[in-house]
Amino acid sequence: MGLTRINILAGLFGAYIIRHPRSETHLGLPTGDELDRPLIVFDRSFRTDGSIYMNCTGDNPSLHPHWRPEYFGNAIIVNGKAWPRVTVRRRKHRFRILNASNARYFRFFFTNGLQFTHVGSDSAYLNKPVVNNEILLAPSEIADVVVDFSESKTNSAILANDAPYPYPDGNPVNEADSKVIKFFILKHREIDRWRVPKMLMQYPRPDLSSASRTRYITMYEYTSTTDEPTHLYLNGKTFEAPVEETPKVGSTEVWNVINLTGDNHPLHIHMGLFVALDQIELVNVEEFRKCMLRMNDAIKCQISKYARGKRVEVPAHEKGWKNVFKIKPEFVTKILVRFSYIHSNESFPFDATAEPGYVYHCHILDHEDNEMTRPLKFIE
């Protein structure tokens, strides 16, 4: 607790791909080192000697000399290189794009109009592919996409970014952080036998009737007298407060996640895969927020009275099973969580009830460390 953001900032992370030899090969998606690549994207700032720079002056120096609510760098890094250039063949390529930033969201798009065909998200395939012009990725979120460079009318393509920071109502990107990676596309169009099938992987459909419990999870932000953020809590509790979320191993639950802050927060639940079902805007937010800060009880504060705003449909490429989901500010997001394998309905082949247990948290690392994290313990 408190050091995750610094460990990741120092580069203590990586990626590896686990492939199922039987269930994936029949899909016919691009494979091989040249055609199936991870793109690990993040932001950093550097001193003139090349070392990583982190501002050590806090937003509230009278309360904490060093604390800042988010880290944003002024250089965009892909696979360890700043603003890299890559040569690709004029055919389909598969990219596993991971946002490994501490706090920055990316909204990726190609400046020459190329599209993304989504085949998976986080650790699961979609039921069927979805084509989009852009991808919004929160920290730790993964998009598994196919890009067909044979459709490019130019010999180069820039993958760009236009997501404000903090997201969604922060600073606009500048010229430096709007550019991510430049692809040089070989002129010769190749015979391409790789394909994107019409149907991908068929997992069990989310079943509300199987849910054994409904929970309300509320995201709070607290500020100083100068209106600068000081800390964030889930359900108004510190990380050290007694555990309250104790699901049964193999169970399914409904979580209504209430975001009372102005930021979008990527929710991550250890040991749980989940499907986002609904996103409803809160009305009379200040009135509801005051009640929640006083009582910290969504039922007693009559959440049904406030969750009556516009309903925003979950994007098609995010309707599958997720490890991370973006929780909109001043919305209630309903998710169905399964604490078992989605592929086989089997429970975990180890003792998930063993100490010290697990956690669920916001995956903006600065928020997670201060301290938008709560314990999660399983029972039989």
Side-chain angles (χ1 to χ4, degrees), residues 94 113 147 167-168:
R94 183 179 184 179
V147 177
Y167 188 82

Side-chain angles (χ1 to χ4, degrees), residues 23-31 92 94 125 146 192-197 199-200:
S23 63
E24 293 193 57
T25 51
H26 76 280
L27 295 176
L29 293 166
T31 188
K92 296 182 193 71
R94 183 179 184 179
Y125 281 98
V146 173
D192 190 351
R193 293 187 173 85
W194 301 114
R195 64 191 181 94
V196 178
M199 301 300 294
L200 294 160

Side-chain angles (χ1 to χ4, degrees), residues 56-358:
C56 294
T57 304
D59 282 17
N60 293 285
S62 63
L63 301 176
H64 192 296
H66 305 302
W67 190 264
R68 300 180 69 84
E70 293 97 12
Y71 173 89
F72 296 111
N74 56 18
I76 305 302
I77 317 298
V78 184
N79 293 354
K81 294 185 178 181
W83 301 295
R85 302 177 179 188
V86 176
T87 298
V88 292
R89 293 150 68 181
R90 195 170 284 273
R91 59 182 302 161
K92 296 182 193 71
H93 288 249
R94 183 179 184 179
F95 298 110
R96 329 281 183 122
I97 308 176
L98 164 63
N99 181 353
S101 299
N102 281 37
R104 184 186 288 273
Y105 283 56
F106 288 105
R107 186 161 51 210
F108 296 117
F109 63 96
F110 280 104
T111 55
N112 69 343
L114 281 173
Q115 294 181 308
F116 306 94
T117 300
H118 292 257
V119 296
S121 182
D122 301 336
S123 65
Y125 281 98
L126 299 176
N127 287 339
K128 57 183 179 180
V130 177
V131 178
N132 278 327
N133 293 319
E134 62 183 32
I135 308 171
L136 177 64
L137 281 188
S140 86
E141 200 174 13
I142 300 168
D144 188 347
V145 299
V146 173
V147 177
D148 190 349
F149 289 102
S150 71
E151 295 181 355
S152 175
K153 294 179 171 57
T154 59
N155 292 328
S156 65
I158 294 175
L159 183 66
N161 160 55
D162 67 356
Y165 60 99
Y167 188 82
D169 296 324
N171 303 308
V173 297
N174 56 37
E175 185 179 359
D177 50 22
S178 68
K179 295 183 176 123
V180 179
I181 183 172
K182 186 170 186 177
F183 294 98
F184 290 102
I185 307 166
L186 296 177
K187 291 183 179 181
H188 175 64
R189 181 169 182 163
E190 300 183 16
I191 297 172
D192 190 351
R193 293 187 173 85
W194 301 114
R195 64 191 181 94
V196 178
K198 291 182 179 180
M199 301 300 294
L200 294 160
M201 204 73 72
Q202 304 304 303
Y203 303 111
R205 301 183 75 83
D207 180 11
L208 275 171
S209 67
S210 66
S212 59
R213 178 158 185 170
T214 297
R215 301 183 191 270
Y216 291 88
I217 309 295
T218 306
M219 297 173 160
Y220 294 96
E221 181 179 58
Y222 304 87
T223 59
S224 65
T225 54
T226 58
D227 202 33
E228 290 289 344
T230 56
H231 59 289
L232 305 101
Y233 283 158
L234 291 168
N235 281 347
K237 303 285 195 308
T238 66
F239 177 67
E240 291 79 13
V243 62
E244 293 182 340
E245 283 70 50
T246 55
K248 284 189 174 182
V249 176
S251 67
T252 300
E253 296 188 348
V254 171
W255 287 22
N256 293 288
V257 188
I258 306 163
N259 186 352
L260 293 179
T261 81
D263 288 337
N264 191 301
H265 296 282
L267 176 69
H268 179 48
I269 305 171
H270 288 208
M271 304 296 290
L273 283 178
F274 52 90
V275 174
L277 303 173
D278 210 357
Q279 301 176 106
I280 303 175
E281 187 179 31
L282 293 166
V283 299
N284 301 323
V285 177
E286 283 309 312
E287 180 181 314
F288 181 59
R289 185 182 282 115
K290 287 177 183 176
C291 181
M292 289 295 289
L293 287 170
R294 186 175 71 254
M295 302 181 72
N296 193 32
D297 189 314
I299 302 299
K300 290 181 179 178
C301 286
Q302 298 178 286
I303 185 172
S304 59
K305 173 181 168 185
Y306 299 98
R308 295 189 293 107
K310 67 181 178 182
R311 179 175 269 103
V312 175
E313 187 173 356
V314 177
H317 66 284
E318 296 183 358
K319 286 184 176 179
W321 293 96
K322 297 276 292 169
N323 288 340
V324 180
F325 192 76
K326 298 177 283 289
I327 307 298
K328 288 179 174 291
E330 301 183 350
F331 269 71
V332 180
T333 301
K334 178 185 286 189
I335 62 175
L336 185 77
V337 191
R338 287 187 55 174
F339 297 104
S340 64
Y341 292 132
I342 61 166
H343 308 73
S344 61
N345 255 348
E346 295 176 2
S347 186
F348 306 116
F350 53 87
D351 184 8
T353 66
E355 295 293 337
Y358 301 89

